[in-house]
Amino acid sequence: MRDAPDHSEELREILPGVGSTIPRPRQVRLAAGDISTGYGTDPNLMTPTPTWPGALTIYERRFVSALSDVILPSEGDDPAPSEIGIDNFFDEWLSAPYQSQVADRRTILAGLDLLNEVSNALFNAEFMHLSRRRKRRAVDALVKEEGDGLDFFVRFRALVVGAYFTSDVGMRALGYRGNVPLRGPPGVSNAAKRIIDRELRKLGL
Amino acid sequence: MVPGRKEFDVIVVGSGAAGGMAAYDLALAGVSVLMLEAGRDYDPQVETPMFHTPASAPLRGSNTADKVAGYFDATIDGGWAVPGEPYTVADGSEPFIWWRSRMLGGRTNHWGRVSLRFGPYDFKPRSRDGLGVDWPITYDDLAPWYDKVERLIGVTGAAHGIENTPDSPNGIFLPPPPPRAHEIFLSRAFTKMGMRIAAMRAAILTKPLNGRAECLYATQCTRGCSSRSNFQSTTVLLPDARSSGNLTIGCNAVVHQIDLDKSGRAIGVSFFDRVTGESRSVRGKAIVLAAGALSSTRILLNSKGALFPNGIGNSYGFVGKYIMDSVEYTMRAQVPALEKVPPQNDDGMFTPHIYMPWWLYREQAAGELDFPRGYHIEPRGGRRLPSMAVGGYVDKTNLVYGRALRAETRRKYGSYVFLTGEGEMIPNEQCYCELDPSVTDRWGIPVLRFHWRWGEAEVRQWRHMKQIFGEVFRLIGGKVGAPDPMPTGGSSIHEVGGARMGFSANDSVTDAFGRCWDVNNVFIFDAAVFASQPDKNPTLTILALASRGAARMIELSKQGGL
């Protein structure tokens, strides 16, 4: 029975202001001596600075970039993950000292090894040396195997998608139009109201 | 940190809603006030990361053990756990969790800003249906204080004439913003189900007020606000209170007990310096406890003496008893129809722009429901600031990648709606806190041990929420995943009770003004005094009670009674 780490807590949305959507603690008894190895409970919010070193090798950075570009290739004006520094994201994420990220480090690094095994088995070459089409075939083969390959793919994909669409460029590509100061509430366009009306009528409302 | 002054008129323990309001009223009335705050000094005007995007934060701002609500949430040195300041839950108890922050202004810096008055029914619940206890005050007693507080802090809203949902007098409400796309959409379903749609009442400025700027309709109030456009004690109450010259604030001062003289009168408080560990005491003619309901309760329990072997206020055993939480429950649905709405700016003011007050009073009174009290509903959704949760839109049931993945993620973004119920809880004897017999905090002070058990009324109310939310989602074609279980006690961060106000000393801890029966120069102004926990978020009522209590202190002092 596979024992995939449970990341459901992060993928679940926190609704800011709704306390019960903030993930429950693993423990509430923190002794005085519990010192965080992360950024601590009072980090600088205005100018965040890295508090742990990145631990990925250059090879690993290139690997995650290459795989990310297969998972979410560029399209039109929207850049590929490698063009927006996805390797920096992975380096920070997979080097972080928190439990969830430590689990991800194991899963992702093991998964990359597995992907290389699959690439070698299919094409006698490492993943990064494959053509774009062969990269996709390697990913497909990885996913077809139940078990670790599938778990790795699902988790890696969630991280790439999350990281990409929370980048400044990615938020816009996703369709976010906020985070801009306005003189009044934005309101809903008449075009959108017509669409809403039409959809409601289809639902009988 | 704390000047060597001999004695203050009033020591206010805590700097949040109750502490800030009390300090404001007292200082402006010429009273010398020492405010002691357990956390560090904090200034939202320079510390709020207003427009910082996720990419500027470690881990895209994801929640971690250090910042449990996310990197940019304003909570400092706290969350469900505060390092060095544990709490325990009794064996056999249902789970209970407790949110505290350690910062000037307390939880008013990161709270949700929903500001609902209690209604007339809410002060007399026992008279209405025989359950719980009545407050020793009526809505009419508190209404002028709600008026005053709302004029001071600024609250949006509109008058609707809805049962048990009092409208503020003309001229108080700030203009509510128009509904968002998904709120317009949901409203049709709510109306069909017999609910009334009310403009949200939020402590957010939609017009400039008292020298504070209007909201910028962009950022999350839970980060705090550097334009002072929402209510936080730090930006709305403390600055003017300080300007009076009568307020001294000591931060990093963790008060653990009220000090008494031999006659049983309070003479001051003792606290630990959170940074140096030094133990100190300071003198005051009167004490206001405003540390947060359960923290104030703990201080009472730890304030022992010959006259009060079980703690101040506890002569009849009511301290720590009848703690309550909101029944706060959220269901999510993915709504294909909302995928058709083109990208809009859905930010608006931080809170939902609408809410649905409880609408089944008649049915409940007629015995058609199997639970006695109601809940209001807050809808959320739309295209708000993305988080790593976007990575979960396409889950393991769909193994696409490439163009299809991009398209699928974009399609789903903005189509999720969340309905959150905030329900009334009946006080019950199995929900209480006491001092843990063995566990102490880092300074050797006994910590709280919680006992919690939701009553049958709450479980049935939660089931009703599931049913209603499910019906709403069915009407709009929403797809629901597996629903979450009953919420955890304490998880709404609306914990109240522990030192309830009442009609007499033998069934309560304070009188109708928060004055402690046992020690008449000790006042409790935070939600420890709540006799009930209606379906209205507590903060506005805390502010009103604190202001009324402060006025009472001034009146008593003029009469020579303090």
Side-chain angles (χ1 to χ4, degrees), chain A:
Chain A
M1 191 63 189
R2 297 200 318 272
D3 201 14
D6 176 21
H7 294 281
S8 55
E9 287 289 298
E10 293 128 42
L11 294 179
R12 181 197 300 266
E13 201 97 42
I14 290 180
L15 300 179
V18 183
S20 54
T21 64
I22 301 172
R24 290 165 49 176
R26 295 181 203 275
Q27 50 163 148
V28 296
R29 293 173 63 159
L30 297 184
D34 275 352
I35 306 229
S36 164
T37 46
Y39 47 60
T41 54
D42 188 10
N44 187 328
L45 305 191
M46 299 297 279
T47 49
T49 46
T51 57
W52 58 84
L56 294 189
T57 63
I58 292 179
Y59 181 87
E60 286 162 346
R61 282 168 153 267
R62 289 196 184 132
F63 201 159
V64 297
S65 291
L67 179 55
S68 297
D69 283 0
V70 171
I71 301 289
L72 205 59
S74 69
E75 191 177 324
D77 289 335
D78 297 337
S82 63
E83 297 174 271
I84 61 144
I86 201 77
D87 57 339
N88 292 327
F89 164 79
F90 272 106
D91 200 15
E92 181 188 67
W93 191 276
L94 298 179
S95 308
Y98 302 105
Q99 269 187 344
S100 178
Q101 282 75 24
V102 167
D104 275 337
R105 182 187 171 77
R106 275 194 303 269
T107 303
I108 301 301
L109 294 185
L112 295 176
D113 282 345
L114 190 57
L115 184 55
N116 263 346
E117 276 175 39
V118 167
S119 302
N120 274 308
L122 282 175
F123 304 114
N124 247 338
E126 289 181 344
F127 182 80
M128 273 198 282
H129 298 149
L130 300 178
S131 69
R132 200 184 308 182
R133 194 183 320 152
R134 284 191 166 184
K135 283 196 178 101
R136 288 200 291 269
R137 285 176 55 190
V139 170
D140 291 342
L142 180 81
V143 166
K144 269 201 188 66
E145 302 178 18
E146 297 283 312
D148 293 342
L150 178 60
D151 288 344
F152 159 69
F153 167 81
V154 171
R155 185 60 187 150
F156 188 90
R157 185 183 65 175
L159 289 174
V160 175
V161 171
Y164 183 89
F165 288 114
T166 51
S167 69
D168 289 357
V169 162
M171 292 199 300
R172 181 110 200 136
L174 183 64
Y176 180 55
R177 294 288 176 267
N179 204 47
V180 288
L182 298 175
R183 302 186 76 144
V188 179
S189 70
N190 287 329
K193 282 182 180 159
R194 283 194 291 274
I195 292 170
I196 290 167
D197 222 46
R198 183 192 73 206
E199 291 302 313
L200 284 168
R201 267 185 276 114
K202 279 194 223 164
L203 289 163
L205 289 169

Side-chain angles (χ1 to χ4, degrees), chain B residues 10-28 33-37 104-108 231-234 236-239 241-242 247-249 287-293 296 523-527 539 541-547 550 553:
Chain B
V10 180
I11 298 172
V12 173
V13 181
S15 63
M21 191 73 248
Y24 178 92
D25 282 342
L26 293 169
L28 292 182
V33 178
L34 171 67
M35 169 182 273
L36 294 175
E37 160 56 47
L104 186 66
R107 295 180 290 181
T108 65
F231 173 73
Q232 347 180 191
S233 172
T234 26
V236 178
L237 300 173
L238 298 184
R242 273 173 152 144
L247 174 62
T248 305
I249 300 178
I287 315 295
V288 168
L289 286 186
S296 291
F523 293 79
I524 305 166
F525 287 165
D526 58 30
T539 305
T541 299
I542 293 171
L543 288 166
L545 288 172
S547 193
M553 288 178 81

Side-chain angles (χ1 to χ4, degrees), chain A residues 10-25 27-32 36 38-46 48 52 70-75 78-79 89 92-93 96 98 101 136 139-140 143 150 153-154 157-159 161-168 171 173-189 192-193 195-197 199-200 203-205, chain B residues 40 46-49 51-56 58-60 62-64 66-69 71-72 76-77 80-81 84 86-88 97 99 112 177-181 185 188 192 214 216-218 220 222 328 330 337 340-345 347-348 350 380 383-392 394-396 398-403 405-406 409-410 413 418 439 442 475-476 484 488 491 493:
Chain A
E10 293 128 42
L11 294 179
R12 181 197 300 266
E13 201 97 42
I14 290 180
L15 300 179
V18 183
S20 54
T21 64
I22 301 172
R24 290 165 49 176
Q27 50 163 148
V28 296
R29 293 173 63 159
L30 297 184
S36 164
Y39 47 60
T41 54
D42 188 10
N44 187 328
L45 305 191
M46 299 297 279
W52 58 84
V70 171
I71 301 289
L72 205 59
S74 69
E75 191 177 324
D78 297 337
F89 164 79
E92 181 188 67
W93 191 276
Y98 302 105
Q101 282 75 24
R136 288 200 291 269
V139 170
D140 291 342
V143 166
L150 178 60
F153 167 81
V154 171
R157 185 183 65 175
L159 289 174
V161 171
Y164 183 89
F165 288 114
T166 51
S167 69
D168 289 357
M171 292 199 300
L174 183 64
Y176 180 55
R177 294 288 176 267
N179 204 47
V180 288
L182 298 175
R183 302 186 76 144
V188 179
S189 70
K193 282 182 180 159
I195 292 170
I196 290 167
D197 222 46
E199 291 302 313
L200 284 168
L203 289 163
L205 289 169
Chain B
R40 71 160 170 88
V46 299
E47 295 196 57
T48 304
F51 289 93
H52 289 51
T53 56
S56 63
L59 309 174
R60 293 297 205 257
S62 291
N63 56 294
T64 63
D66 285 332
K67 293 299 297 267
V68 178
Y71 189 84
F72 286 132
I76 293 174
D77 290 341
W80 301 121
Y87 54 96
T88 61
I97 52 178
W99 187 281
R180 300 176 171 94
F185 192 87
R188 209 70 78 80
K192 181 162 179 135
E214 180 179 349
L216 297 169
Y217 306 101
Q220 300 169 330
T222 45
E328 182 180 276
T330 302
K340 313 293 195 301
V341 179
Q344 310 269 301
N345 185 339
D347 277 352
F350 169 70
R380 289 179 173 79
R383 293 181 172 89
R384 305 298 293 273
L385 188 70
S387 72
M388 286 298 286
V390 174
V394 181
D395 69 12
K396 63 182 183 221
N398 180 357
L399 301 176
V400 291
Y401 62 92
R403 292 176 79 100
L405 176 62
R406 188 184 280 275
T409 303
R410 268 218 288 260
Y413 172 63
F418 304 81
V439 178
R442 58 198 271 212
L475 284 173
I476 62 176
D484 285 340
T488 303
S491 63
I493 318 183

